[in-house]
Amino acid sequence: MTANQRTLGIMTRCQGSHFIDKGYYKKLTLFGRKHGIRVFVFSPRRVNFSSRTVSGFEYKNGAWQSDTFPLPAFVYDRCFVGPAYRNYKPFVDKLQNDRNLTFLGHGLSGKWQVHQMLIHSAVLAPSLPPTEILTYSALQGTLDHYGSAIIKPMAGTHGIGVVRITECRGGYEISGRNKENKPFRRVVKEPGGLKTLVTTFTTGRKFLVQPYLELHTPDGSPFDVRVLVQKNGKGEWETTGKAVRIGDKKSITSNLHGGGKAVPLTPFLSRHYKPAMQARIEQTIDRLTGELPRFLEKSHGKLVELGIDIGIDTSGNVWIIEVNSRPGRTVFTMINDPAAQFHSITQPVRYAHYLMKERVGGY
């Protein structure tokens, strides 16, 4: 195997020398180096397809240094989806269609597409909230049936743009996080006012509508369970870790970027549920997160890791809230789980190492 065949490029959105998750990528680089794998970071917009090179950054001698690299043999896609992703997508698509490159996994395209895949699983479908593409009639239908609704961007992260709409005596109460991830609350009296507000809020982006689920503790703190599943050094799916993310009582989401905190799962459940209910919840979480990556991969194509967000309502029902193919791993630092923290960082390199060995039938 040539030196270039043992390269792993971390593809992400760079603005000059600025890119997020530098600490994580530094650890990936150092762990890869121990396995004889050269790891570097690059933007899909900085690829020269004619010379098959790319401008990027490599961590060495204690700092990130810019360089020009041959296109990597393997690509770890960390190019986060969001409003700016359209500026990167044509370049990402071209790289994905290059037969000489192997992506560890292909990023999920959006919440609606994921929902449409998972709904065909007999195991997963009962745990998916009823979901529709947002139109005013779909919103009104959800409010008429359930009394309250959640709208969320099809392509969004960190709880940004997630809004709860509830029928109340004075009309409709609207609360959530705006495009700047700041909490807000409004009351409008008439359906016309609601329609105007929702239309203005969602202009330029596609949203989904779902019933609002009571995903909070008895004292009103919103929470969810983040389960990180990853492929290991044998190419098999494995659960790396689980953590509960708890949001502020004033918020409707539990995202860490919105001011939430993380705690270990089992002690949290034991504080809020009786032993039999706790056992059933944990068994359900394990069953759903064991089934989901394999089922999703059949429809979507190759994946390398997933952050699966699980909701538990006040009756103890377990719901699949969201699936993210470019998950963060801060929660394991916050809950002081060094084993999960270590595996969350090293598994992508272990899986890349496995693929490299598979390509040449062993070194």
Side-chain angles (χ1 to χ4, degrees):
M1 180 175 259
T2 66
N4 191 54
Q5 287 174 312
R6 301 196 64 170
T7 53
L8 175 63
I10 303 170
M11 184 176 70
T12 190
R13 284 157 50 173
C14 302
Q15 297 293 333
S17 62
H18 175 73
F19 50 91
I20 63 171
D21 286 342
K22 282 186 175 179
Y24 171 41
Y25 300 155
K26 170 187 169 182
K27 291 172 184 174
L28 272 178
T29 302
L30 297 176
F31 188 75
R33 201 168 286 158
K34 288 181 181 178
H35 285 74
I37 300 170
R38 188 182 190 188
V39 181
F40 60 87
V41 175
F42 74 98
S43 164
R45 292 174 59 89
R46 300 300 303 278
V47 174
N48 185 325
F49 287 95
S50 58
S51 65
R52 298 193 66 75
T53 59
V54 59
S55 299
F57 304 90
E58 184 177 15
Y59 189 83
K60 56 185 180 181
N61 301 323
W64 286 101
Q65 300 183 20
S66 61
D67 204 346
T68 299
F69 306 88
L71 277 179
F74 294 84
V75 176
Y76 179 32
D77 182 1
R78 294 287 293 175
C79 204
F80 293 95
V81 174
Y85 187 68
R86 65 182 180 274
N87 300 319
Y88 293 81
K89 190 175 187 306
F91 304 96
V92 174
D93 290 345
K94 191 168 183 177
L95 288 167
Q96 288 180 340
N97 290 324
D98 191 313
R99 292 182 178 181
N100 294 312
L101 303 184
T102 299
F103 275 63
L104 302 189
H106 296 297
L108 297 172
S109 49
K111 297 180 180 71
W112 175 247
Q113 290 82 355
V114 171
H115 182 271
Q116 292 300 95
M117 295 175 197
L118 299 183
I119 201 74
H120 295 290
S121 164
V123 174
L124 304 172
S127 296
L128 294 170
T131 304
E132 294 182 73
I133 294 174
L134 177 64
T135 62
Y136 187 70
S137 61
L139 172 60
Q140 198 59 61
T142 303
L143 290 172
D144 290 344
H145 195 273
Y146 298 99
S148 59
I150 282 278
I151 63 171
K152 59 175 71 172
M154 278 194 197
T157 55
H158 309 323
I160 299 170
V162 178
V163 174
R164 178 181 64 198
I165 301 166
T166 305
E167 293 179 335
C168 60
R169 265 185 163 183
Y172 303 92
E173 181 185 292
I174 301 100
S175 59
R177 291 190 173 272
N178 62 19
K179 295 171 186 176
E180 289 74 43
N181 207 15
K182 302 292 184 185
F184 75 94
R185 179 183 175 277
R186 292 273 302 278
V187 174
V188 296
K189 295 183 178 179
E190 301 293 336
L194 175 64
K195 186 174 184 179
T196 299
L197 190 150
V198 170
T199 301
T200 302
F201 187 82
T202 60
T203 295
R205 299 180 70 184
K206 294 181 179 179
F207 277 66
L208 299 177
V209 59
Q210 298 173 331
Y212 171 69
L213 303 172
E214 301 280 348
L215 307 177
H216 56 74
T217 61
D219 68 355
S221 298
F223 77 93
D224 66 8
V225 181
R226 163 55 65 91
V227 182
L228 178 63
V229 294
Q230 297 174 293
K231 283 184 177 172
N232 60 22
K234 297 178 181 178
E236 300 165 345
W237 284 105
E238 194 174 282
T239 297
T240 295
K242 306 168 191 167
V244 176
R245 301 181 300 186
I246 307 172
D248 188 278
K249 290 181 184 180
K250 298 175 184 176
S251 176
I252 62 167
T253 62
S254 54
N255 298 78
L256 302 181
H257 287 77
K261 63 179 182 178
V263 298
L265 174 63
T266 299
F268 173 86
L269 292 178
S270 66
R271 285 198 301 274
H272 296 290
Y273 300 93
K274 293 180 179 178
M277 176 71 80
Q278 177 185 343
R280 184 183 65 77
I281 289 171
E282 294 204 61
Q283 288 167 7
T284 303
I285 291 173
D286 289 343
R287 179 168 55 86
L288 294 176
T289 56
E291 168 77 4
L292 191 149
R294 296 170 182 84
F295 186 87
L296 187 56
E297 203 167 34
K298 289 177 187 175
S299 303
H300 168 77
K302 190 159 62 172
L303 294 159
V304 58
E305 60 186 354
L306 294 170
I308 305 172
D309 295 341
I310 299 291
I312 305 167
D313 67 25
T314 49
S315 300
N317 300 309
V318 178
W319 299 93
I320 300 168
I321 301 303
E322 195 168 321
V323 184
N324 188 340
S325 57
R326 301 173 182 89
R329 48 215 82 214
T330 311
V331 288
F332 304 120
T333 304
M334 295 177 76
I335 68 171
N336 193 26
D337 186 339
Q341 188 182 353
F342 179 73
H343 279 93
S344 73
I345 292 165
T346 57
Q347 290 288 45
V349 173
R350 294 180 196 275
Y351 180 55
H353 192 240
Y354 160 79
L355 292 178
M356 290 174 188
K357 289 190 293 184
E358 287 288 296
R359 174 176 281 190
V360 295
Y363 296 131

